[in-house]
Structures are given as C-alpha cells and as structure tokens.
Amino acid sequence: MSDDEKAVKIPAQAEGPTEGATLTKDAAPGEVLLKVTGLQKHFPIKKGLLQRQVGAVHAVDGIDFEVRSGETLGVVGESGCGKSTMGRLITRLLEPTAGKVEFQGKDITHLGVGGMRPLRRDVQMIFQDPYSSLNPRHTIGTIVGAPFKLQGVEPEGGIKKEVQRLLSVVGLNPEHYNRYPHEFSGGQRQRIGIARALALNPRLVVADEPVSALDVSIQAQVVNLLDDLQQELGLTYVIIAHDLSVVRHVSDRIAVMYLGKIVELADRDLLYKSPMHPYTKALMSAVPIPDPRRKNAKSERILLKGDVPSPISPPSGCRFHTRCWKATEVCKTTEPPLIELRPGQQVACHHPENFADQAPQDTVLLTAAKEAAELVADEVLAESAETSAAVAAEVAAEAAATPTEAAEPTEAAEPSEAAEPTEATEVAPEASEDDTPAKEK
Amino acid sequence: MTELSKSGAAVGEPTPASPAPTAFLEVRDLKVHFPTDDGLVKSVDGLSFQLEKGKTLGIVGESGSGKSVTSLGIMGLHTAGQYGKRKAQISGEIWLDGTELLSADPDHVRKLRGREMAMIFQDPLSALHPYYTIGQQIVEAYRIHHDVDKKTAKRRAVEMLDRVGIPQPDKRVDSYPHEFSGGMRQRAMIAMSLVNNPELLIADEPTTALDVTVQAQILDLIRDLQKEFGSAVIVITHDLGVVAELADDILVMYGGRCVERGPADKVFYEPRHPYTWGLLGSMPRLDREQQERLIPVKGSPPSLINIPSGCAFNPRCPYADLPKDNVTRTVRPELAEVGSRHWAACHLGTEQRERIWTEEIAPKL
C-alpha cells in the first residue's frame, strides 16, 4: 500500500504543474475508475447515561457499483435513502462501516487523513448549498486557490493566474478574484464551488445535489457548465440528485436507491424507457409533467402508500415490500439480489416490471400489496401484466428454439441473454453480489 | 358553512372606492414595497389578476420575483407584521367576494383570515407550533371562527385529519408535529387550513420541501379537495410541472410584475414572453426525448432595489435589441392582450413573437 501511495505522490510533487501531476495515470475511457463493493455505513444511536448503543441507522446498507472513466453516474432516491452518505463514503469524508472502496484499483477504504491526501487531488466534491460551502471571510481567490496551497502545488504562472483561468473556465469574471462570497448570487457561488473542485484537475468529481438550491433558469446554466467541463476535461462525475429530470439530462448510467440499497442500476435510456423495479416506475411516474394537456391523465401515476420506512429497522426481505403493489411472500422473506436481467440493466426485484417474473411460483399478494394496488390505476396494472407476460413468452420461446426472428427486432436480442440469470436466481441467490459479502463481515 | 361565511362577509362591507368587481377574488395594481437601509425594495410592483371560485391560479417565477409577498399581501399578513420599525408599504386593491381587504378594518380581515381565506405554507415544520399537538392547533383554528366546545372541535379535527389521509386520525390527533413525517405534516397543515372550509386557499410552494412520491400524493389531495370544497386556489411555485398539474390559469412573475398571464394551455403551448420561453427551455423534461442541451436564461434575476429601467427582463433577454429606439431599456411594457384571456408584457410585436416562438424556440424544446 505504501508503494502505491508513493507512486501517486512522487510524480505529482516532482513535476509541480497540476496538469502533468494528475494526468499521469491516464485511464482509457471506459476503464473502471471507482469500484465499490458491499459498502455499508451504519450510524450508531446511543442512549442513556452510559451512551450505550441501542441501534443503528442503516444509511447505506451494502451497495455495489462501478464508475467508469469519462462517464456520469447519476444517483437518485428520496430523502433519507442514503445517497448523500454514499457520496461522502466514496470521497472518504465518512469512514465506512464495512465494504470496500477502490479508486483506480487501489483500496482506499480505510486510508487515514494523511493517506487520503494525495488522492484528494483526484477526487473532489461539489456541495449542495453554495451559501454554506464557501467561507464568508475568504476572498474568491483564497477559496479557489486553497487546494493548491494545501497540496503544495505551484501551478505554472503562479496561483493567482491559475485561479483566474479557472474562474473564466466556469464563466466568472477573472477580475472578481478579490471579491467575497456574499457579493455573488447563488448561481455564481455554485460556479465558484465548481472552480474550486476543478482546481487540481481531478479525475472524479462527486456532486451532491449541485443544482437543487438554484432557480430554474440558473439550474440550466450550471447543468450546461457541468456538461461542457466534462467534454473539455474528460471528467468523471457521480451526480447525486433527487430531481429525476435533471439526472436523466446529465447521466449516462443511473442508480436508484431506496433505504440504503441500490434497487436498480441501468443505462439511462433503458431505465427511463422500461424501468424494471416497481419503485423506479413509481418514482418516475410521480414527477409532475410540465404539460397541462396531460393534467387529467391521472391513470399513469402510481401513488405510493404512506412514507419511506425508518432506516433504523428496515423491512425484512425486499425493503420495498411494504409499499409495493406486487409484493408476495418471497419479497417479505428473501432479499432480491441485484442482478443483470438485461445487458446494462441491473435490478433487485422478485417481480420486475417490463420483464419476466423472477419468482413466478409465488403469486399470492401480501395484504399490504393489495392495499397498495388500490392506489395504482387498473390500466397500469394491466399494462404491466401484459408486458411481463409478453417478455416471459419471449424468454420461453428463446429457450425452446434458438434464434427465431419472431419477436420485435429490438427486444429479440435482449431476452436471450437475460434468460440465463433468470434461472440462476430461482435456484439460489448465489449470484448475489449484492449483500452476501457485506453480511459476512 | 357557506351561509356563515357569507354573513361574515356582509358584516363589515366597506363603502367601495371603485365599483366592486364581479370576480370572486380580484387584485388591482397591488404594490408591496419594503423600505430598507439600502433603498426601497419593490417586491411587488403593480400586479393585477382575477380568480373565480372553483378555479386554480398558478403563480410561477424565480426566487425574489414577488410570488410569496403577493400571497402574504392577500392574506393581510404584511401590515400585521412590522419589519424593524418600518412597515411594508402596500397600495392597490384586493377584492375578496365583494370586500376590499386593504382598506377594511383589520379586525374584520382577521375574521376572514382562516375562515374565508387560508394558507398552506412551504415548510410545515416551521409553520406548525412544536409545543402543541396537531389536534390542539387544528382545534384552535376551528374555535376562533366557530362557537363550539372543545369536544366538538376535536371531532372536527379528527374528521379533517381523516379526510387528508392521515392513518388512525383519532390517535394521531394527539401527536406533536415532530412525530409526523414531512408528508404527514404537510397533510396536517392542509387539514388545518381547510378546517373552516375557506373559499380561497393559497398554497405557497406546498410541495417544494417534499420528495416526488410524497409530492404526487399531496398534489392529488389538493386537487381532490378543491373539487370537493369548490374553493378558489392560488398555487405559488417555481416548478412548472406542479402548475401544469394543478392550474387552470398561469401568471408568470418577473421582478415584481406579471410578464405573462393566461390559460395554462396557452402559456405552455403559445407563450408570448421571452422570459416564459426561457423558463420552458431551462427545464429538463421527462416527457420528451432527451434534449442535447438546455437553453438557459443568461445572467441572473434582477435586484428588487434596482429594477432595470424599461422592461425588467431586458438585460437577460436575447431579443432586447429587436424593438426600435432602444425602447426596451427606457419604456416599461404594459400587459397587452395577445389572445383570448391571454396577456403578455413585451415590446416585441405580436407577430414577431409568434414567429420567434414557432420558428426558433418551440422546435428546440
């Protein structure tokens, strides 16, 4: 490990200029930059005089994913689902309870402050609130120049020149170098935060709700800026947000989180065209569509019953079973593993939408599911049953006779590959990359 | 209930300065200015609109455009609160069901508040009192306007909690706000505002603090309750999706003034103000194919102390140079009719705007 550390540290400090320093290990686009396995974070709840631990908030409870170089991974979920905690874990602002975080093939899970320092150059964060994330007593020059001083990097032409270049990169006037944060508007402040994150030319930028504190018109400016910077500098983003339309706009792949778990992880277009997890489907149907002509198309909306359960004692089995309209006995007892049902689409569900049922033998709905189903329009249920049946038939047809061009051309290729994982899950959850390693620890 | 509220309105009817309007709610040339050390903040600067019973008006705009100040003005909450030693300066007329509110006796307005008009606030945690149970707070709101004993009032509170979809209302009525989740608190607040069957309900960013799935529940609830009670609703929000869901009419505010007003359909499909175009272009949409790029509005919202001369939007407007004689920077445009019940305040010619919208803007959205 110490060897690895040196490998990062030495060239950086020897060469000085940031560009040379941080781009030494040029990863080809598509290479895995960040790999997370079985990541957990439990916050203890302490009570009483002796401060005994009486429980834990399972903020992040065993998640696995990869971020490839040059892509944008969007993370969505409701408040309390653990998405921000996840962001702080991968930037190592929080210490994971269990699991493993690898950055560029190097295990950074338990590195200390000193051990992380050289890596801070490559992993940067943009925060949600542009008002509280900038020190009001420092000038913009000091704030954006701080990373250079902390890392002991002397950019070519001096810090001031470099800071001014960064300010112009993010669309601010370089002459504002000596101004204080209060002299800027919310959108401009967010640009300052972005300039600071870019100062050391990072590989990975984790942005936690980068635009949710901004007005609509300003939001679009910042989204476009993030887009441009990614193209110019080849950045990799993890963007955490609750707004599904923003996430769709910026992401290549999207992870949907619910109560500390990833329930679906898929390519953007697959996820939005044919979501498989019922929660994803409900979440997307809940977004108000800015189109008054669809005001009365209420039938498309899936209303979820009640609130998100407490992460202190999450429901057994599938965590969504208490609110799902498709939940059966197996959902209550067995936790569904996150498996790739279709190329580029990983889902953790026993009864996915838009795909063959993973536990067809289990058909009796739970009472909670029946109540939940009352909130879902019949059209939606019928349509979902139809698509599931159609996909199931396709899978069966594919299994019986190899390549028949009967089905729709786009769908034809996908189910054939997906047929294998289907069988695997029914036998045993051995393919479960999801939670087994985490639980062993 | 309806007879009670009508008699309430009749009691303090002042002699009207100008002919009473026919609409249920009519706001005429409302101005709300706040004197501060830095200068006069013109939060609302000449706003007029009407609203009929059973209809919903959506007010959209960015932060600082004067949306919330308008709603507090209608509720008469500005004169009640003092800002340091200086009061807000309010002028104009607000007619509610034949009564002019700004010139009316404050005691009379207090009787109407909560009774004829009620409000749902953005953040239910800070709008509810942490020290009293949900039930006590609803009972208080009911008993101020109805001469009933506590038992009856509590029964009414339970009934309302049940109506807004709180499970086990007879038990939850004795809970404190912190024991409720965000969505439930918002439901409780809706119950409280509706306990007196108000005829005007103002919802100021009712779902901004909530998650999308909860937001969907609350929007549904507001829509159902409006059908049931037939009240007039004003929804204030920055989310065009929310207004599209709820509103019959839309009013777009910018820099304390209305820049466009019309039926929801018109404002979304034939908008006639560059700012409205900007709002529509800034928004990533789930119901369309992926846009390559968003089209943001350049610059940032104006300072309300120093509102740009001429059209307040001119520094950010890509078409500001099209009208002749620099008129956008010198003359403030007035609202002009651009279609049936559809107004916009812009110096560009109507045909010119129609052409820009259909040829340049609409295809990119």
Side-chain angles (χ1 to χ4, degrees):
Chain A
M1 199 197 260
S2 59
D3 285 344
D4 279 345
E5 264 176 56
K6 269 179 208 152
V8 181
K9 215 184 256 168
I10 291 169
Q13 257 144 27
E15 286 180 34
T18 31
E19 265 115 290
T22 43
L23 291 181
T24 39
K25 283 187 183 177
D26 236 343
E31 182 196 306
V32 175
L33 187 66
L34 180 82
K35 189 170 190 298
V36 170
T37 24
L39 190 65
Q40 278 187 353
K41 178 70 191 175
H42 293 177
F43 293 101
I45 302 168
K46 291 178 176 162
K47 259 193 185 153
L49 189 64
L50 298 172
Q51 291 290 295
R52 256 197 214 111
Q53 186 174 337
V54 292
V57 177
H58 300 239
V60 170
D61 210 11
I63 57 174
D64 311 76
F65 63 89
E66 287 173 358
V67 184
R68 296 171 206 136
S69 189
E71 76 167 354
T72 303
L73 176 74
V75 181
V76 282
E78 292 175 275
S79 47
C81 72
K83 51 189 194 306
S84 289
T85 305
M86 189 278 290
R88 281 161 192 262
L89 286 173
I90 58 177
T91 45
R92 284 302 322 284
L93 297 176
L94 284 174
E95 181 75 18
T97 309
K100 203 168 160 193
V101 183
E102 283 169 80
F103 183 72
Q104 291 185 321
K106 175 175 147 69
D107 186 351
I108 62 164
T109 323
H110 296 293
L111 283 187
V113 176
M116 270 309 287
R117 183 143 296 156
L119 283 164
R120 293 272 174 233
R121 212 170 282 186
D122 289 339
V123 185
Q124 282 289 330
M125 192 150 183
I126 300 171
F127 296 92
Q128 169 170 9
D129 182 1
Y131 290 86
S132 60
S133 59
L134 301 177
N135 188 336
R137 299 185 59 175
H138 285 176
T139 61
I140 300 314
T142 322
I143 290 172
V144 179
F148 298 113
K149 294 200 178 106
L150 287 172
Q151 291 280 349
V153 174
E154 186 61 44
E156 215 174 336
I159 291 179
K160 184 174 176 185
K161 204 178 156 206
E162 181 63 13
V163 169
Q164 290 185 330
R165 187 188 69 84
L166 284 164
L167 290 180
S168 58
V169 164
V170 298
L172 291 171
N173 189 342
E175 286 162 22
H176 293 171
Y177 183 83
N178 277 322
R179 292 199 180 177
Y180 286 90
H182 73 264
E183 296 175 74
F184 294 88
S185 67
Q188 288 175 319
R189 281 156 171 255
Q190 198 57 296
R191 287 172 191 267
I192 296 166
I194 294 172
R196 174 174 60 183
L198 295 179
L200 295 168
N201 214 339
R203 304 286 315 278
L204 176 69
V205 175
V206 177
D208 188 358
E209 303 271 10
V211 296
S212 57
L214 307 174
D215 270 317
V216 202
S217 67
I218 309 298
Q219 204 169 324
Q221 295 175 357
V222 174
V223 165
N224 281 350
L225 173 66
L226 289 173
D227 255 4
D228 293 344
L229 291 172
Q230 180 166 42
Q231 279 177 9
E232 280 164 33
L233 308 173
L235 294 173
T236 308
Y237 290 131
V238 173
I239 294 187
I240 299 165
H242 68 274
D243 185 329
L244 282 114
S245 21
V246 168
V247 166
R248 178 176 90 152
H249 190 85
V250 297
S251 310
D252 299 311
R253 289 192 307 143
I254 293 165
V256 182
M257 284 185 75
Y258 185 75
L259 271 179
K261 287 269 185 196
I262 292 180
V263 295
E264 185 158 4
L265 175 61
D267 291 344
R268 173 187 63 204
D269 294 336
L270 284 174
L271 188 85
Y272 281 86
K273 283 208 184 84
S274 57
M276 285 196 192
H277 201 283
Y279 177 66
T280 316
K281 195 167 176 180
L283 200 61
M284 289 200 303
S285 79
V287 178
I289 299 296
D291 184 349
R293 287 184 192 163
R294 288 172 56 161
K295 183 156 61 170
N296 298 320
K298 211 173 151 184
S299 58
E300 290 168 29
R301 173 154 302 164
I302 300 167
L303 283 182
L304 288 179
K305 190 169 62 91
D307 293 307
V308 183
S310 157
I312 297 171
S313 49
S316 63
C318 171
R319 288 172 184 212
F320 189 55
H321 86 256
T322 52
R323 303 171 83 194
C324 182
W325 61 96
K326 297 182 107 183
T328 59
E329 199 53 40
V330 67
C331 303
K332 207 166 152 186
T333 52
T334 322
E335 182 158 351
L338 187 70
I339 43 170
E340 190 157 11
L341 289 184
R342 194 183 282 171
Q345 192 163 14
Q346 289 171 284
V347 189
C349 181
H350 293 297
H351 309 289
E353 295 276 321
N354 298 314
F355 198 73
D357 206 321
Q358 300 296 294
Q361 72 287 358
D362 202 21
T363 49
V364 187
L365 288 179
L366 294 176
T367 25
K370 282 178 195 148
E371 285 167 28
E374 280 169 20
L375 291 170
V376 182
D378 296 338
E379 290 93 326
V380 177
L381 290 179
E383 189 204 314
S384 130
E386 230 168 70
T387 45
S388 297
V391 179
E394 271 173 39
V395 173
E398 292 286 340
T402 29
T404 40
E405 296 290 313
E408 300 153 68
T410 43
E411 298 269 319
E414 290 159 4
S416 65
E417 284 171 57
E420 290 138 35
T422 321
E423 289 159 14
T425 39
E426 277 169 21
V427 179
E430 57 186 15
S432 155
E433 295 156 20
D434 190 29
D435 64 330
T436 29
K439 276 187 180 159
E440 279 161 13
K441 280 175 192 172
Chain B
M1 174 57 230
T2 30
E3 2 168 326
L4 277 172
S5 62
K6 277 193 187 121
S7 68
V11 170
E13 201 156 291
T15 42
S18 49
T22 47
F24 172 66
L25 172 73
E26 177 153 354
V27 172
R28 289 180 188 165
D29 197 29
L30 178 71
K31 289 184 180 165
V32 184
H33 296 172
F34 301 100
T36 66
D37 291 336
D38 299 324
L40 193 64
V41 178
K42 296 180 178 172
S43 288
V44 178
D45 201 22
L47 184 72
S48 309
F49 62 86
Q50 298 102 16
L51 179 62
E52 293 296 345
K53 252 186 230 177
K55 295 280 181 196
T56 305
L57 173 74
I59 301 185
V60 265
E62 293 177 85
S63 41
S65 61
K67 318 182 289 284
S68 296
V69 173
T70 306
S71 65
L72 295 174
I74 296 171
M75 292 290 288
L77 293 173
H78 285 307
T79 36
Q82 290 195 345
Y83 297 83
K85 280 177 192 157
R86 288 170 294 202
K87 283 189 173 186
Q89 302 167 355
I90 306 179
S91 65
E93 292 167 36
I94 298 169
W95 290 88
L96 180 73
D97 208 7
T99 315
E100 208 284 305
L101 298 179
L102 288 181
S103 60
D105 180 22
D107 284 338
H108 176 59
V109 178
R110 186 174 305 137
K111 283 198 188 106
L112 295 181
R113 198 183 299 136
R115 175 65 178 274
E116 280 229 22
M117 48 185 189
M119 191 155 174
I120 304 171
F121 294 92
Q122 171 171 2
D123 179 5
L125 192 56
S126 55
L128 292 169
H129 200 299
Y131 193 76
Y132 296 101
T133 64
I134 297 287
Q136 282 170 320
Q137 298 184 47
I138 300 180
V139 163
E140 185 194 1
Y142 192 60
R143 290 190 74 211
I144 283 176
H145 297 285
H146 293 84
D147 187 19
V148 293
D149 59 38
K150 280 190 179 162
K151 244 188 178 161
T152 324
K154 190 164 178 186
R155 255 202 317 272
R156 172 82 182 153
V158 173
E159 194 185 302
M160 284 313 296
L161 288 179
D162 189 35
R163 181 61 200 85
V164 297
I166 288 185
Q168 297 177 298
D170 46 334
K171 292 211 178 72
R172 299 315 294 258
V173 74
D174 293 321
S175 310
Y176 288 91
H178 74 266
E179 297 172 283
F180 276 30
S181 69
M184 287 202 349
R185 275 183 216 131
Q186 196 59 287
R187 283 169 193 268
M189 205 154 70
I190 293 175
M192 193 188 302
S193 60
L194 291 177
V195 72
N196 292 308
N197 287 5
E199 308 205 323
L200 171 65
L201 180 66
I202 302 177
D204 187 356
E205 303 267 10
T207 57
T208 310
L210 307 174
D211 277 314
V212 275
T213 55
V214 183
Q215 167 170 293
Q217 296 169 355
I218 298 289
L219 292 181
D220 237 42
L221 177 67
I222 294 179
R223 202 169 17 215
D224 289 352
L225 290 172
Q226 181 183 21
K227 266 192 204 134
E228 195 179 321
F229 292 91
S231 21
V233 177
I234 299 179
V235 182
I236 292 170
T237 177
H238 65 274
D239 187 333
L240 288 168
V242 171
V243 274
E245 294 258 325
L246 291 177
D248 301 300
D249 284 337
I250 293 175
L251 191 158
V252 184
M253 282 190 84
Y254 188 80
R257 288 172 71 93
C258 167
V259 293
E260 181 158 8
R261 174 155 67 95
D265 219 50
K266 294 267 185 194
V267 174
F268 273 95
Y269 289 100
E270 296 161 32
R272 289 290 176 266
H273 195 283
Y275 178 61
T276 319
W277 301 342
L279 283 182
L280 290 168
S282 310
M283 197 180 35
R285 300 182 61 151
L286 276 188
D287 58 330
R288 301 277 170 86
E289 284 299 302
Q290 178 88 14
Q291 302 108 308
E292 271 297 293
R293 259 178 101 69
L294 300 175
I295 314 155
V297 187
K298 63 176 187 190
S300 39
S303 145
L304 293 172
I305 295 177
N306 247 325
I307 296 177
S309 62
C311 174
F313 187 57
N314 85 65
R316 302 177 76 190
C317 181
Y319 310 101
D321 293 324
L322 291 183
K324 279 177 202 153
D325 302 332
N326 211 12
V327 69
T328 43
R329 290 181 187 88
T330 50
V331 183
R332 183 185 264 190
E334 293 300 325
L335 277 179
E337 196 147 11
V338 289
S340 80
R341 295 186 53 239
H342 185 190
W343 296 266
C346 182
H347 284 302
L348 293 170
T350 318
E351 289 92 60
Q352 201 173 10
R353 271 179 274 162
E354 213 175 305
R355 193 183 48 77
I356 295 175
W357 166 253
T358 45
E359 287 171 18
E360 292 179 28
I361 311 287
K364 281 193 228 154
L365 293 183

